[in-house]
């Protein structure tokens, strides 16, 4: 008995030691950082017609705000090399934001509660306010070794897939509530997820994907029925890390819509300083039932149906890159959103700062130049400019009108390389967009990012 009791005590002590060591390793592998983003935004619509629009579309002609963003990110290690938890708190503090210039996406956004009525006329009254939220919190697990492994994440997280991705283009990012899993074997990854809620950049809560839904296609539509849905997706990715790969993804929201996605890329290395990247994207979307409105085709109502493809070639010579891109929509306006509060976006090269060039049957060309000034004695200084021109046809009574639109974007950024300011990046971003109708605009953004490692 004495020997048995001794063995049990030794086993318990060994187990306690293992648990203690595992917890200590998890804490050693845990990282905490503070991200500060100072963000100024000004968008000036040149047509000055937004205030004359219908109540649902009525927005200020000038949208302006200045905010200080704060993100506290916690990325834990794995307890017993198996399980961990990540979290992120986001906040946006209002510095400047007049109530008649709301809609920048940097401060609290308008909701249905902001639609007021006075003397029988509806209008939007939205105050620009600070906000904060628990943007991410999810449980994570991992299995396997370096060559064959799997991960499962469950909770609220930042998604980055071809058919469901979050956006970080303002003060704080949008995030998604989902269960995500992947299996990785060398260069091959099989992944999938199920998502039931999302939160836009400025929302404090998470909301279901729901309708009725509208597609801004410029065609007559019928309203979808009231309801909510989940998005389920599966995909496979092959990435060698040597400049070529393939990503295929399928996603469906039952009774709403389904979409397919394909991305293939290949880098041709000509010399140490010269290469050509070939990149291609294909999207296919179709309505899937009662929750998505029908679209009129030749006097008949049919399910929304659209395809979009994009082909790109980019030449790199040392620190200079030059790209040309062609994009074509076949069918209806390509509506990549999933309804409700998702902040999804296109991954194509012609989906730029403001516009995506995804109108019904639209075709567009893009030219882009990037330059890194490191070899000129200015490490950390980068320049980008691009120009996109699109053309589509719009039904105007009994005739079709050809519409043209274009966008020019310019980015200047500088990242401090050393000293106390290392980790500080300043970005100036300008966009000019011209089109038929109410959307022609000039836009400026000034972004200052600074990351501080706390742990």
């Amino acid at each position: 008995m004495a020997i048995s009791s001794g063995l049990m005590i030794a086993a318990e002590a060994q187990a306690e030691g293992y648990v203690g060591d595992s917890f200590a390793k998890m804490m050693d592998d845990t990282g905490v950082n503070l991200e500060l983003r100072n963000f100024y935004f000004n968008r000036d619509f040149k047509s000055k017609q937004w205030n004359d629009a219908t109540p649902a579309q009525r927005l200020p002609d000038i949208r302006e705000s200045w905010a200080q963003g704060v993100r506290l990110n916690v990325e834990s290690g794995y307890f017993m090399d198996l399980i961990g938890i990540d979290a992120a708190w986001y906040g946006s503090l209002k510095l400047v934001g007049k109530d008649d210039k709301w809609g920048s996406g940097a401060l609290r956004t308008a909701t249905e509660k902001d639609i007021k009525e006075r003397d029988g006329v509806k209008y939007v009254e939205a105050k620009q306010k600070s906000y904060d939220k628990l943007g991410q919190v999810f449980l994570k697990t991992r299995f396997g070794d370096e060559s064959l492994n799997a991960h499962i994440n469950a909770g609220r997280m930042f998604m980055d897939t071809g058919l469901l991705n979050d956006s970080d283009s303002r003060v704080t990012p949008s995030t998604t509530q989902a269960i995500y899993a992947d299996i990785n074997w060398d260069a091959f990854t099989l992944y999938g997820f199920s998502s039931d809620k999302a939160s836009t950049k400025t929302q404090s809560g998470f909301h279901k994907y729901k309708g009725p839904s509208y597609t801004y296609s410029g065609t007559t539509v019928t309203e979808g029925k009231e309801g909510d849905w989940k998005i389920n997706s599966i995909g496979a990715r092959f990435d060698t890390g040597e400049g070529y790969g393939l990503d295929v993804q399928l996603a469906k929201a039952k009774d709403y819509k389904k979409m397919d996605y394909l991305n293939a890329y290949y880098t041709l290395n000509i010399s140490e300083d010269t290469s050509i990247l070939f990149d291609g994207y294909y999207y296919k979307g179709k309505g899937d039932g009662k929750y998505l409105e029908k679209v009129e085709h030749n006097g008949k109502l049919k399910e929304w149906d659209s395809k979009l493809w994009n082909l790109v070639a980019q030449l790199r010579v040392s620190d200079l890159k030059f790209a040309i891109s062609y994009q074509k929509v076949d069918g209806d306006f390509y509506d990549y959103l999933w309804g409700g509060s998702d902040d999804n976006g296109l991954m194509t090269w012609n989906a730029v700062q403001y516009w995506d060039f995804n109108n019904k049957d639209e075709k567009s060309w893009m030219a882009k130049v990037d330059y890194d000034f490191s070899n000129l004695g200015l490490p950390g200084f980068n320049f980008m400019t691009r120009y996109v021109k699109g053309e589509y046809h719009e039904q105007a009574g009994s005739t079709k009108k050809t519409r043209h639109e274009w966008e020019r974007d310019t980015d200047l950024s500088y990242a401090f390389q050393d000293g106390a300011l290392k980790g500080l990046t300043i970005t100036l971003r300008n966009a000019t967009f011209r089109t038929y109708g109410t959307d022609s605009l000039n836009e400026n953004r000034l972004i200052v990012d600074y990351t501080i490692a706390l742990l």
Side-chain angles (χ1 to χ4, degrees), residues 32-44:
V32 181
N33 69 62
L34 180 67
E35 294 182 62
L36 303 175
R37 172 173 289 182
N38 191 273
F39 188 92
Y40 172 78
F41 182 98
N42 180 287
R43 177 179 288 171
D44 184 359

Side-chain angles (χ1 to χ4, degrees), residues 317-383:
V317 180
S318 187
D319 296 323
L320 175 69
K321 295 178 182 178
F322 174 73
I324 55 172
S325 169
Y326 179 72
Q327 180 171 291
K328 179 71 169 66
V329 177
D330 291 319
D332 298 315
F333 172 93
Y334 196 87
D335 182 9
Y336 48 80
L337 297 174
W338 290 102
S341 297
D342 73 288
D343 220 340
N344 196 33
L346 283 176
M347 306 291 279
T348 66
W349 291 58
N350 288 32
V352 289
Q353 182 167 321
Y354 175 73
W355 196 238
D356 297 321
F357 295 86
N358 55 337
N359 284 304
K360 176 180 171 63
D361 292 324
E362 182 168 13
K363 55 185 178 181
S364 60
W365 285 93
M366 185 219 49
K368 179 185 179 187
V369 176
D370 295 85
Y371 191 74
D372 181 343
F373 285 80
S374 297
N375 287 334
L376 295 182
L378 293 171
F381 184 62
N382 290 275
F383 169 80

